[in-house]
Amino acid sequence: MICISYLCGFSENASTPKQILDAASSTCVVSGLFWKASMAGTLASVQVPKHSLSRLQSLNGLFAIYKKEGPTSADVLNSLKEALLREAGVKDPNPRKRKKQDLKMGHGGTLDSAASGVLVVGIGNGTKMLSTMLAGSKKYKAVGEFGKATDTLDATGKVVTETSYDHITREAFEEKLKQFTGDIMQVPPLYSALKKDGKRLSVMLKQGHEVEAKPARPVTVYSLLLQDFTPPFFTLDVECGGGFYIRSLVDDLGKALSSCAHVKELTRTKQGQFTLDDHTLREEQWTVQHVIQSMQTCPEVTKEKGTKPSPKLEAKKAPNDQEKQ
């Protein structure tokens, strides 16, 4: 048996598996036999964290990741936190833990489970800047379908209405879009992240509770373009402000055109200064190094001075791993 404390003696001046192996194999004697390469495979497999937890916890800023279709925004954020904590050497990390969190992190605007695209993440003091992401402009590419309305206003829901759409022309559609551009009033969908008495409306509906629609509220649409019109399908490019729901827009458009419609596909292509093509980290890039390279930093917060005003930040492009190879 090899004494653990004996091996630890070699690690005082050796920080890599190779250094430990070289030191041990040159001097270590176990039960009168020279200990050589028999432990090479074991030591070679030792993982020395490239980035410590303290290094990860010292990061303060914003960066963007790609959210794929399927999981919730919260689930994606927890997966990111778990990947970073494991890399930093935390055993069995629990990203859902509320108290005494190992890593402070949040996202700046919920994407529906069925949606994909840009999800802005704040780390450390960067979480205090996420409110600007919620209120700032966003761009979406939405594929809608005429003739069917669902209870969730997207393809995940149950079809509740079916109507004809043959009378809708591209000209009539583009003319109707003008009514939904600028400062308008919009009723949020029932299935949403909005809350009543501390509970999400979507969760209450799934539990069988009756939920009243929230009142219409002011929202802003900066641009609304019809990119493709192949009935029953159509594609919209939308730039809007905070609090705007693409699902409600498509539902309202269907009704305004004497038909009905729902969102079939939805992708957020831009949030604030972060774009889908240039700034998002894909799942294989969820590493500390990639975060550091793509993150825009923010000033640290001190109890004496508070948060200093920061200059306008420019998003860094996400690292292109193919260019490095």
Side-chain angles (χ1 to χ4, degrees):
M1 179 179 293
I2 300 174
C3 179
I4 298 298
S5 61
Y6 189 61
L7 281 180
C8 289
F10 293 112
S11 64
E12 292 178 358
N13 298 314
S15 59
T16 67
K18 185 178 184 303
Q19 291 172 337
I20 297 172
L21 178 61
D22 290 342
S25 60
S26 62
T27 59
C28 183
V29 177
V30 181
S31 300
L33 299 176
F34 284 98
W35 182 83
K36 294 184 179 180
S38 60
M39 290 297 291
T42 301
L43 283 175
S45 64
V46 173
Q47 297 296 318
V48 178
K50 189 175 181 179
H51 298 279
S52 65
L53 179 59
S54 59
R55 177 71 179 105
L56 181 60
Q57 291 172 328
S58 70
L59 301 180
N60 298 284
L62 298 174
F63 61 98
I65 63 173
Y66 175 75
K67 179 202 171 297
K68 63 183 179 181
E69 181 181 337
T72 66
S73 296
D75 287 339
V76 172
L77 182 68
N78 286 330
S79 295
L80 170 66
K81 289 175 68 175
E82 184 174 358
L84 296 177
L85 288 171
R86 285 190 185 279
E87 183 187 352
V90 177
K91 295 182 179 179
D92 300 323
N94 180 9
R96 292 172 174 79
K97 184 170 60 176
R98 293 289 183 180
K99 296 182 179 179
K100 296 182 180 180
Q101 300 181 60
D102 292 318
L103 183 61
K104 187 178 181 182
M105 189 178 285
H107 67 75
T110 300
L111 269 175
D112 295 335
S113 298
S116 62
V118 180
L119 187 67
V120 176
V121 175
I123 185 170
N125 291 333
T127 57
K128 300 180 183 298
M129 302 171 64
L130 290 175
S131 58
T132 61
M133 293 293 104
L134 290 168
S137 69
K138 306 171 182 66
K139 288 185 178 181
Y140 295 90
K141 177 181 178 181
V143 177
E145 180 180 359
F146 282 123
K148 295 179 181 179
T150 69
D151 55 358
T152 59
L153 310 187
D154 64 14
T156 66
K158 183 191 303 181
V159 175
V160 293
T161 305
E162 292 191 51
T163 58
S164 62
Y165 54 86
D166 297 340
H167 61 283
I168 303 174
T169 64
R170 185 182 186 105
E171 292 73 19
F173 196 172
E174 290 181 325
E175 184 65 27
K176 192 62 67 175
L177 291 180
K178 297 177 183 178
Q179 299 180 15
F180 293 88
T181 305
D183 296 325
I184 63 172
M185 299 297 289
Q186 185 187 65
V187 177
L190 288 176
Y191 283 87
S192 69
L194 297 178
K195 295 181 178 181
K196 179 183 179 181
D197 300 328
K199 293 184 178 180
R200 289 194 175 191
L201 298 184
S202 57
V203 173
M204 295 178 67
L205 283 167
K206 291 176 182 178
Q207 292 175 343
H209 298 288
E210 290 187 6
V211 176
E212 293 183 3
K214 292 282 187 177
R217 57 186 187 177
V219 292
T220 302
V221 180
Y222 300 108
S223 66
L224 182 55
L225 301 174
L226 179 61
Q227 294 295 336
D228 184 68
F229 182 70
T230 312
F233 305 109
F234 57 91
T235 302
L236 298 171
D237 276 351
V238 186
E239 182 175 5
C240 57
F244 187 81
Y245 282 89
I246 303 296
R247 287 180 290 141
S248 290
L249 168 67
V250 170
D251 181 64
D252 291 340
L253 278 169
K255 294 174 181 176
L257 290 164
S258 301
S259 182
C260 61
H262 69 277
V263 173
K264 193 170 183 63
E265 297 176 15
L266 181 61
T267 304
R268 183 189 283 163
T269 58
K270 186 174 184 290
Q271 184 174 8
Q273 60 270 51
F274 296 94
T275 63
L276 179 62
D277 294 333
D278 293 334
H279 304 115
T280 54
L281 295 177
R282 302 283 169 157
E283 194 165 351
E284 62 273 13
Q285 296 176 308
W286 291 358
T287 67
V288 178
Q289 188 59 39
H290 280 99
V291 169
I292 292 173
Q293 290 176 349
S294 62
M295 183 181 70
Q296 52 175 230
T297 58
C298 68
E300 293 188 9
V301 177
T302 62
K303 292 182 179 179
E304 295 78 12
K305 299 181 180 180
T307 305
K308 296 180 180 179
S310 59
K312 183 178 180 180
L313 300 175
E314 295 184 0
K316 298 179 182 178
K317 287 190 175 183
N320 188 331
D321 295 334
Q322 291 182 344
E323 292 180 355
K324 296 178 184 179
Q325 295 176 353

